[in-house]
């Protein structure tokens, strides 16, 4: 599955109550287009040696949603490395394997890429 966006935003794909900012009324739009086989395959592909870069809001939404639901996404997201950009240096990251990016948010990402390149 690939998400394609023209403006860099995929708003509220998962739940009818998700992300109502600015009066967005089409929440939960992706649900009719998924099935158990797709969810299982996406969970598989999310695991392994992957890392995710999230903004704080997305990180918090994913944490509350998938840890409550369980299933393959929960396990994959809990096991994966997560980098979270936030303007607040006191942001608490509750998920395992999470790193707060504050200040020069590009530096930890560059360091991680270099480390992976050396082990490849």
């Amino acid at each position: 599955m690939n998400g394609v966006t023209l403006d860099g935003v995929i708003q509220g794909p998962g739940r009818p109550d998700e992300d109502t900012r600015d009066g967005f009324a089409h929440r939960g739009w992706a649900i009719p287009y998924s099935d158990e086989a797709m969810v299982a395959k996406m969970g598989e592909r999310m695991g392994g040696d992957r890392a995710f870069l999230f903004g704080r809001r997305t990180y918090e939404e994913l944490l509350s949603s998938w840890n409550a639901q369980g299933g393959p996404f929960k396990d994959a997201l809990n096991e994966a490395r997560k980098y979270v950009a936030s303007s607040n240096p006191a942001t608490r990251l509750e998920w395992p394997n999470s790193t707060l990016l504050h200040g020069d948010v590009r530096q930890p990402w560059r360091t991680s890429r270099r480390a992976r390149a050396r082990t490849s």
Side-chain angles (χ1 to χ4, degrees), residues 87-101:
S87 60
N88 181 353
T91 296
R92 294 191 62 216
L93 303 178
E94 305 285 335
W95 240 343
N97 305 313
S98 299
T99 301
L100 179 63
L101 303 178

Side-chain angles (χ1 to χ4, degrees), residues 3-99:
V4 178
T5 173
L6 298 177
D7 64 358
V9 175
I10 296 178
Q11 187 169 354
R15 298 186 326 265
D17 64 335
E18 183 179 14
D19 198 353
T20 59
R21 286 178 291 165
D22 300 323
F24 186 69
H26 305 289
R27 301 165 311 272
W29 58 267
I31 298 301
Y33 304 106
S34 66
D35 60 26
E36 285 185 35
M38 185 178 82
V39 169
K41 184 54 86 175
M42 287 176 64
E44 274 177 36
R45 295 193 57 124
M46 290 172 76
D49 189 30
R50 303 228 191 281
F52 294 94
L53 175 62
F54 297 126
R56 181 201 46 85
R57 180 188 299 261
T58 299
Y59 174 85
E60 289 173 352
E61 284 286 327
L62 284 170
L63 173 66
S64 64
S65 178
W66 288 110
N67 277 333
Q69 290 181 51
F73 285 176
K74 174 189 174 191
D75 296 338
L77 288 169
N78 278 314
E79 292 169 13
R81 289 182 314 276
K82 291 163 286 299
Y83 297 93
V84 182
S86 176
S87 60
N88 181 353
T91 296
R92 294 191 62 216
L93 303 178
E94 305 285 335
W95 240 343
N97 305 313
S98 299
T99 301

